[in-house]
Each structure stands twice: as C-alpha cells, then as structure tokens.
Amino acid sequence: MNNQISLFEGGKPLKIAKPIRLIELFAGIGAQAKALKNLGVSFEHHRVIEIDKYALTAYNGINGTDFAPLD
C-alpha cells in the first residue's frame, strides 16, 4: 500500500488501498506508466488507446503488456 503526500491537504498522507487502474489515451510508448513507476505508485495497465501499431509494439515491449492494435 502506498502513502502519497497531497499538495492540497498541507502534506497529509493519502492512503491508496487498491492499485490505480491506468488508462492511457494517445499512449505512445507509455510516458504516464513510466512516470507512475518512477514515483513508486502501485498501478495496473487497464487500457491503452494508440492507433500507431509501431508505438503500441514499443509500448508492449517497454511495459511488459500485450495490448492489441485497433483495427
């Protein structure tokens, strides 16, 4: 379980009980997923929207996912 500090609550820790379900629109190679990993936030890859099949291939390779391209 992660404790995150809220900038809006004056430093009061937030408790996140479940992993964040990440939906990336215009995902590219997964900048949002990489940012969450760098911050140490617990999350799961839920959905990815990307029309470029090469970017999606890179996304899957970098993030260890298996999303299929849109037809």
Side-chain angles (χ1 to χ4, degrees):
M1 186 176 340
N2 289 334
N3 286 330
Q4 296 179 333
I5 302 299
S6 170
L7 299 175
F8 305 106
E9 298 291 328
K12 181 180 175 183
L14 299 174
K15 293 183 180 179
I16 300 174
K18 297 180 182 179
I20 294 171
R21 295 180 96 187
L22 180 64
I23 300 173
E24 290 190 87
L25 306 175
F26 314 105
I29 60 171
Q32 295 92 352
K34 186 65 172 171
L36 291 173
K37 284 181 189 176
N38 288 344
L39 291 171
V41 176
S42 178
F43 72 97
E44 64 181 63
H45 296 272
H46 183 63
R47 297 274 191 269
V48 170
I49 305 298
E50 178 56 62
I51 60 171
D52 184 342
K53 65 181 179 181
Y54 300 110
L56 188 58
T57 300
Y59 184 98
N60 286 331
I62 291 168
N63 295 295
T65 56
D66 190 26
F67 290 108
L70 299 173
D71 291 330

